Amino acid sequence: MKRRSRRALIYLALVAAQVFALFPFWWMITTSLKHQVEIFGGLEFLPQAPTLDNFAALFDRYNFGPFLANSLLVVAFSVAGSLLLGTPAAYALTKLPTESWLQRQALIVVLLVRMLPAILLVIPFYLVLANYGLLNTRLGLILVYTGLNTGFVIWLMQSFLAEIPRDIEEAALVDGDSRLSALRRIVLPLAAPGLAATAIFSVINIYNDFLIALTMTSTPDAQTIPVGVSTLIGKIQIQWGPMAAAGVVGALPIIVFALIVQRHFVRGLTLGAVK
Amino acid sequence: MELRYELVCKRFGAADALIDLDLHAPDGCFLVMLGPSGCGKTTALRLLAGLDDPTSGRMFIGPRDVTPLQPRERDIAMVFQSYALYPHKTVAENIEYPLRIRRLTQTDRQERVAQVAKMLNIDAYLERYPRQLSGGQRQRVALARAIVRQPQAFLMDEPLSNLDAQLRFQMRAELKRLQKSLAVTTVYVTHDQLEAMTMADLIAVLSNGRLQQLATPAEIYARPANLFVASFCGSPPMNLLHGTVTNGHFQRAEGTFPIDNGPASELVLGFRPEHAQITMRGAPDSFAGEIYVVEPLGSETLVSVKVGADRVNVRVWSDFQGQIGDHCGVRPDASRTVLFEKDSGQLIKGSTSGSSKQPGTGGVRESA
Ligand SMILES: Nc1ncnc2c1ncn2[C@@H]1O[C@H](COP(=O)(O)OP(=O)(O)O)[C@@H](O)[C@H]1O
Ligand SMILES: [Mg+2]
């Protein structure tokens, strides 16, 4: 009896947490489906006359297409790039003697970049990009994000890779693999949950970034969704409807991606947590 | 292929894990490296596999000097103590992995896998994942992955140590048969002297990174090269009594025993439990003692006798009647004793005959 009431309490708490977490989302979706009049009209939980006008306006009038494309491109390339750079580096770090001076120093140096607030890095990055004519380009953004995110990838992947038993990799070496093919065929598949978790964190970090994108870009040629949405805040009026629509469209790729890697992701989180 | 270690040393930081290992295993030999935990067995195996580099020395597989070669160039197969199965691959995929790397065709691979799986009785589990198997089944899969190709040598690191006693007994026999039928030179590492004695063609006893003795099990049993080997091999191990030599007699406070002229110094007299008799106290050539404990083993009985400060084990027939506390004597079988130098611990005089394991005759029935 006591156990059941405890369970009920736990579920109640979980439901409350869900409502708390999902309500803004619900509000965003309903708002995106309401007419301007209705948005300002009062607290309606369901749109009285659902409309897709906001979405149409978003793409027709507010140029959302290029923003979305820029975001997807920049995120895809910088996440792929930082995984490609960071994972081999993390692998190499696991081959240093565990907890050795060298390993610790290397990890601290890698972390240093992450510890600096982004606002401190914005100006140097701006100057470098300006120097190479990469301001307001997607390539420029990709380079900055890749650089910033690689350290994060090294840290996460280092702890995931360190948990793969040495014996298993060595068995592959004895069975006839080279270091590289053992890494590709045995180590990386075993690190897949870690890769998925790292990838999703990276995607969210980069996709959400506002400060760097705002500084490095100036036109829809390279501006990303967060910057694009900010243009909906006019001097006189805030376009709530299209803004909510932008939120919905902007959240979609992340949700789809999260659903795809979800299975790995949860395993990845707990895998890392054991350490 | 014959295997050879030539003056191989391995140092980890300041610690020597392996010192001047010189070892030769002829083609087709079942070589067991035996020694207590931490003596360097795994290190020796990893060096031969190419997973670690020696600090100095060279290793040969057949005529090839493999010292500078990568593991995959050495063409050996290894069974790890942890089995090291690939957790994301099924049993069949695990076993065929070495073949896949060697680019065998799918039909060839399937044929070999089926054959090996049948040989090791795991053909029913081919589609399972390692985590769905018991310890014994995993051990067989690890073995199957090793024997699925014909390597130059098998290296096995305590492959039976994670199994229960029953399964270990069974697998010991199967492994020995398997090795003989495949006739591939095998280095088998264990800390279990029983495994070494029962399976090996040759035993290499290691202690503290040094090779103590390389010999057949019979030789090791009858003439251990030093006190370490004497006390490590055999269950119970060889009896060792400290004493001095005067006038061709080994002397202790509890009695004397005639020996060939040894150097006049302090010696250790060694004899196996089955190469001694329980006598009455004061019988000629016996050491006076007191029965410490009597352990019936079914087919025979093990009597532990306190001789001075030392304990001596004697195997007798199971109709032995003595009781704890009874006074008695222990008389070693003169033709089966060995002598060690006390200071160096080295064998001085080999015992004169082989190592037939007959329980000692003649237990005394009465107490003195
Ligand atoms: N990677 C290593 N780093 C430092 N010391 C090691 C390493 N591997 C083994 N040793 C040391 O070398 C000695 C022999 O180890 P090992 O070969 O594993 O022994 P065994 O397999 O006989 O139990 C031990 O004292 C061990 O602590
Ligand atoms: Mg070991």
Side-chain angles (χ1 to χ4, degrees), chain B residues 177-225:
Chain B
R177 279 185 64 88
L178 191 68
Q179 196 271 338
K180 284 288 162 259
S181 71
L182 297 171
V184 172
T185 318
T186 301
V187 182
Y188 183 104
V189 159
T190 182
H191 64 263
D192 181 350
Q193 57 88 24
L194 186 62
E195 267 175 37
M197 295 303 250
T198 50
M199 299 170 83
D201 296 323
L202 273 179
I203 298 181
V205 184
L206 288 173
S207 170
N208 286 325
R210 283 184 198 278
L211 180 64
Q212 305 294 314
Q213 184 171 14
L214 174 66
T216 61
E219 177 78 6
I220 293 226
Y221 195 76
R223 281 177 289 276

Side-chain angles (χ1 to χ4, degrees), chain B residues 244-251 256-265 267 285:
Chain B
T244 54
V245 171
T246 30
N247 299 330
H249 276 77
F250 175 86
Q251 292 203 313
T256 66
F257 189 78
I259 54 169
D260 293 347
N261 272 335
S265 61
L267 292 182
D285 301 338

Side-chain angles (χ1 to χ4, degrees), chain B residues 265-302:
Chain B
S265 61
E266 296 192 24
L267 292 182
V268 180
L269 178 75
F271 54 94
R272 292 286 174 191
E274 56 274 29
H275 297 149
Q277 296 168 353
I278 304 281
T279 64
M280 280 182 288
R281 185 174 270 200
D285 301 338
S286 74
F287 299 100
E290 182 186 314
I291 294 181
Y292 185 77
V293 71
V294 178
E295 297 171 284
L297 302 175
S299 63
E300 61 194 34
T301 294
L302 196 64

Side-chain angles (χ1 to χ4, degrees), chain B residues 110-120:
Chain B
Q110 279 170 348
E111 195 178 313
R112 292 285 301 149
V113 169
Q115 189 187 343
V116 170
K118 204 168 157 67
M119 202 190 306
L120 289 171

Side-chain angles (χ1 to χ4, degrees), chain B residues 80-97:
Chain B
F80 290 74
Q81 183 171 1
S82 62
Y83 307 147
L85 300 179
Y86 308 126
H88 59 305
K89 293 180 182 290
T90 63
V91 168
E93 288 167 347
N94 263 279
I95 299 175
E96 75 166 355
Y97 192 69

Side-chain angles (χ1 to χ4, degrees), chain B residues 117-176:
Chain B
K118 204 168 157 67
M119 202 190 306
L120 289 171
N121 261 326
I122 44 175
D123 34 1
Y125 316 118
L126 285 177
E127 295 315 313
R128 293 211 196 157
Y129 284 91
R131 62 173 178 278
Q132 300 168 312
L133 300 179
S134 72
Q137 290 163 346
R138 281 180 210 181
Q139 199 269 340
R140 283 159 190 272
V141 176
L143 210 57
R145 191 174 61 184
I147 66 174
V148 73
R149 63 197 169 97
Q150 277 94 28
Q152 311 271 316
F154 291 131
L155 310 183
M156 306 190 184
D157 193 355
E158 314 214 12
L160 304 186
S161 64
N162 295 333
L163 305 183
D164 59 56
Q166 180 97 35
L167 206 53
R168 207 150 56 205
F169 174 73
Q170 190 186 329
M171 282 307 296
R172 227 162 54 203
E174 283 186 39
L175 257 179
K176 187 171 179 174

Side-chain angles (χ1 to χ4, degrees), chain B residues 22-69:
Chain B
D22 238 345
L23 235 180
H24 175 247
D27 189 20
C29 167
F30 198 125
L31 173 79
V32 174
M33 284 198 198
L34 174 67
S37 174
C39 71
K41 308 178 297 287
T42 298
T43 305
L45 214 55
R46 291 174 55 85
L47 290 176
L48 190 58
L51 296 171
D52 283 324
D53 291 325
T55 309
S56 64
R58 292 139 75 78
M59 286 154 295
F60 296 84
I61 297 177
R64 288 188 305 153
D65 180 353
V66 298
T67 320
L69 299 185

